[in-house]
Amino acid sequence: MKFIVKFFAEITIKSRPVRKSFIKQLRQNIKLVLKQHDADVVVAGNWDFIEVLSERDELRADFTEALSNIAGIAHFQFVREFPLVDLDGIVDQALVSYGDILKDAVFAVRVKRVGKEHGFSSVEAERYIGGCLKAKSGAHSVRLKDPDVLVPIDIRDDRVWMIEQRVEGLGGYPIGSQDSVLSLMSGGYDSTVSSYLTMSRGLKTHFCFFNLGGDAHEIGVKQVSNFLWEKYGSGLNVKFVTVPFEEVVGEILTKVDNAEMGVILKRMMLRAATQVMEGVNAKALVTGESVAQVSSQTLVNLKVIDQVTDELVLRPLITTNKQEIIDKAIEIGTAPFAASMPEFCGVISVKPTTRAKMHRVEKQEANFDFAVLDKAVEDMRVMSIQNVMDDVEKQYQGEVPEVRMPVGNEIIIDIRHPDEALKRPLKVSGRPVKVIPFFALDSKWSELDADVMHLLYCGKGVMSRIHASYLLGKGNKNVGIYLP
């Protein structure tokens, strides 16, 4: 079994040393990925292409899938190689590969020749092979422009490559050929697509998750990050970093005016991420922000957010429409993950500002206890992306009890933002309701009656499910969610 890998066009126009470096990295990445299927695979380098050889013909589909997801490849071909005897021999081999497909088809033959003089031109070979194939295969006719079936053949010195399949690749540069970056992952459409884009451009992309409350959200982000790495990461070892940010959120919600909450949360994340990136040798931060998609992503707000760091912040999606982002997520396979992922940052502020003023932000941050942020960074967990799923298995993944009509002595806990709970108080006939904001739930839980079932309520059921999963994962039995 043989594949011929052709390079992304931008690689071929680099200087000789850079091109050699990119090809070397791509060759290493291909071997690293394909060795998972065949430990004896051979990946041979070449100035114009890379050859992939394997004795395991039954792995053709696995190799095709793997190669199609490796950055740096423009396209690749599955070929049958045989010695050149004469043109009639090529005709016989072409019938083996294309005989059934050519019946009643409109086709054309394309011949490329490389190396020694063959005694015939490429055009002469095309005419002869095409005429014989039409006569022997039952093809309808030959049409050189836009044929229904194309029969591509490469003649290289005294060898012939019968190209049976051509598959488009990702393009871009091989991962590892560029610097490392740290991607801020929420697990939604935007962060997963922006991470994919940096990976497909050759940037070794580490993942950083700010846990705003609960194991369930962390499990989801780990799963989608691992998916991205397994499918597009070329097997390179990268890190997954979890920063516990629940107390940071609590500090913001209790000490910062409502309008500036979203901007200040993003500033806290960038401050923390700037420290995290040093540990993974990243040269830039990556976010999924797009201009004006949400209130914190106006140009004025982004400028205020960026002023907390001197590091480069990359925003691959900055001018991309939301539907385009969703379409890309569907294409790369992250949409099913993102569709069920909560957007915590979007619920922190009820009336967010779209034109943050630095003096107001600084005044609000003066109330913030930065020791809380320092502790969050100190308590971060760093693990290899290869091991995150092992870690997920240790966390709670069971069913969360759901109640729509309480019939016992259950107590309902409203975990919404305090402003929202005050503005639209939850009233349940004949049922006690406690108000405990989600950021204070973990610290207040020990004060509640352990013998009574507590049902968490948040409106849409997203945050309540996350926090219920978190509490269940810690061994609590008396928790569920209220879905009226």
Side-chain angles (χ1 to χ4, degrees), residues 26 56 98 145 154 191 220 238 281 285 316 324 366 384 435 482:
L26 180 56
R56 304 278 302 279
Y98 288 93
K145 186 176 181 179
D154 282 10
S191 64
V238 299
N281 195 33
L285 300 171
E324 294 174 325
S384 170
V435 178
Y482 175 51

Side-chain angles (χ1 to χ4, degrees), residues 409-450:
N409 64 341
E410 302 97 332
I411 295 175
I412 297 173
I413 300 179
D414 188 344
I415 68 169
R416 291 177 296 169
H417 186 286
D419 289 349
E420 188 176 358
L422 182 63
K423 185 177 180 180
R424 290 184 293 274
L426 176 64
K427 296 179 180 180
V428 183
S429 178
R431 188 66 50 181
V433 176
K434 290 187 176 182
V435 178
I436 303 177
F438 69 89
F439 58 86
L441 190 60
D442 188 38
S443 61
K444 295 286 187 181
W445 189 258
S446 61
E447 302 174 11
L448 303 178
D449 189 343

Side-chain angles (χ1 to χ4, degrees), residues 6-232:
K6 296 298 182 72
F7 311 129
F8 177 53
E10 290 182 23
I11 295 177
T12 64
I13 62 174
K14 299 296 183 184
S15 66
R16 187 176 183 86
V18 173
R19 178 170 176 171
K20 288 179 64 176
S21 174
F22 281 11
I23 293 173
K24 179 180 179 181
Q25 183 69 58
L26 180 56
R27 188 170 65 246
Q28 291 173 349
N29 292 356
I30 291 173
K31 189 165 187 177
L32 190 61
V33 171
L34 295 184
K35 281 185 70 174
Q36 299 174 37
H37 302 282
D38 178 7
D40 297 320
V41 65
V42 175
V43 181
N46 192 298
W47 182 252
D48 294 316
F49 56 85
I50 289 174
E51 293 183 73
V52 175
L53 306 172
S54 172
E55 299 295 328
R56 304 278 302 279
D57 291 343
E58 73 276 12
L59 295 176
R60 175 176 171 178
D62 295 324
F63 273 39
T64 300
E65 172 68 18
L67 288 169
S68 67
N69 294 321
I70 297 176
I73 298 176
H75 67 269
F76 58 94
Q77 302 164 334
F78 178 79
V79 305
R80 283 195 309 109
E81 184 176 359
F82 51 90
L84 171 62
V85 178
D86 53 30
L87 293 180
D88 288 321
I90 297 177
V91 172
D92 293 339
Q93 293 293 339
L95 287 169
V96 172
S97 296
Y98 288 93
D100 294 338
I101 304 174
L102 290 176
K103 184 174 177 58
D104 298 323
V106 178
F107 78 102
V109 176
R110 297 282 189 270
V111 174
K112 293 182 180 178
R113 297 184 308 110
V114 177
K116 70 178 187 180
E117 177 60 42
H118 294 103
F120 53 80
S121 68
S122 297
V123 173
E124 289 171 340
E126 290 172 351
R127 289 173 178 168
Y128 185 84
I129 296 170
C132 293
L133 288 178
K134 183 177 182 300
K136 295 182 178 182
S137 68
H140 181 274
S141 61
V142 174
R143 184 173 67 212
L144 298 182
K145 186 176 181 179
D146 297 324
D148 298 332
V149 178
L150 184 66
V151 181
I153 301 169
D154 282 10
I155 302 175
R156 294 179 171 268
D157 293 319
D158 57 356
R159 308 292 295 177
V160 180
W161 290 352
M162 185 65 59
I163 302 170
E164 294 189 346
Q165 182 185 19
R166 172 183 164 129
V167 180
E168 297 302 312
L170 288 184
Y173 296 133
I175 294 184
S177 64
Q178 307 299 309
D179 290 317
S180 296
V181 295
L182 180 69
S183 180
L184 279 56
M185 286 286 289
S186 70
Y189 292 102
D190 302 339
S191 64
T192 56
V193 172
S194 62
S195 298
Y196 163 80
L197 292 175
T198 56
M199 294 166 71
S200 63
R201 195 61 180 174
L203 295 162
K204 187 177 181 180
T205 303
H206 302 276
F207 305 100
C208 182
F209 168 61
F210 291 96
N211 194 333
L212 307 184
D215 287 347
H217 190 190
E218 182 174 335
I219 288 172
V221 177
K222 284 179 176 177
Q223 288 174 330
V224 71
S225 299
N226 183 259
F227 170 85
L228 277 170
W229 172 76
E230 282 195 334
K231 190 167 185 178
Y232 304 108

Side-chain angles (χ1 to χ4, degrees), residues 202-427:
L203 295 162
K204 187 177 181 180
T205 303
H206 302 276
F207 305 100
C208 182
F209 168 61
F210 291 96
N211 194 333
L212 307 184
D215 287 347
H217 190 190
E218 182 174 335
I219 288 172
V221 177
K222 284 179 176 177
Q223 288 174 330
V224 71
S225 299
N226 183 259
F227 170 85
L228 277 170
W229 172 76
E230 282 195 334
K231 190 167 185 178
Y232 304 108
S234 296
L236 273 67
N237 187 28
V238 299
K239 302 299 182 183
F240 183 94
V241 183
T242 297
V243 183
F245 239 53
E246 188 168 354
E247 292 185 14
V248 174
V249 173
E251 187 76 5
I252 292 173
L253 288 174
T254 54
K255 296 184 179 179
V256 172
D257 279 353
N258 193 288
E260 279 77 31
M261 284 180 178
V263 169
I264 289 178
L265 175 61
K266 293 294 183 68
R267 281 166 62 91
M268 295 300 171
M269 288 180 173
L270 280 196
R271 286 185 172 105
T274 299
Q275 298 183 59
V276 173
M277 64 187 292
E278 297 175 4
V280 296
N281 195 33
K283 305 304 181 187
L285 300 171
V286 179
T287 78
E289 291 158 323
S290 175
V291 170
Q293 188 178 116
V294 296
S295 59
S296 65
Q297 296 175 14
T298 63
L299 292 183
V300 172
N301 285 357
L302 291 176
K303 181 178 180 180
V304 171
I305 291 168
D306 283 1
Q307 289 187 27
V308 299
T309 181
D310 293 328
E311 301 295 342
L312 176 64
V313 180
L314 302 178
R315 295 183 170 94
L317 304 178
I318 195 65
T319 61
T320 309
N321 296 327
K322 188 66 176 185
Q323 189 57 53
E324 294 174 325
I325 297 171
I326 293 173
D327 291 344
K328 192 65 177 181
I330 293 172
E331 177 188 331
I332 66 177
T334 60
F337 297 92
S340 59
M341 204 73 65
E343 289 289 349
F344 262 92
C345 297
V347 301
I348 191 171
S349 183
V350 176
K351 295 181 179 179
T353 180
T354 58
R355 301 188 70 80
K357 294 180 171 55
M358 182 58 70
H359 70 278
R360 285 184 54 84
V361 170
E362 291 176 341
K363 181 179 179 180
Q364 292 299 312
E365 286 187 345
N367 300 322
F368 186 92
D369 182 2
F370 279 87
V372 174
L373 181 65
D374 294 338
K375 185 177 185 302
V377 175
E378 289 175 8
D379 293 343
M380 70 179 177
R381 295 180 60 216
V382 182
M383 65 192 76
S384 170
I385 192 67
Q386 294 170 294
N387 301 325
V388 296
M389 298 311 294
D390 296 336
D391 192 63
V392 164
E393 291 175 2
K394 301 174 184 176
Q395 297 175 317
Y396 183 78
Q397 298 186 68
E399 293 294 325
V400 177
E402 300 178 2
V403 176
R404 297 185 182 276
M405 296 181 64
V407 295
N409 64 341
E410 302 97 332
I411 295 175
I412 297 173
I413 300 179
D414 188 344
I415 68 169
R416 291 177 296 169
H417 186 286
D419 289 349
E420 188 176 358
L422 182 63
K423 185 177 180 180
R424 290 184 293 274
L426 176 64
K427 296 179 180 180

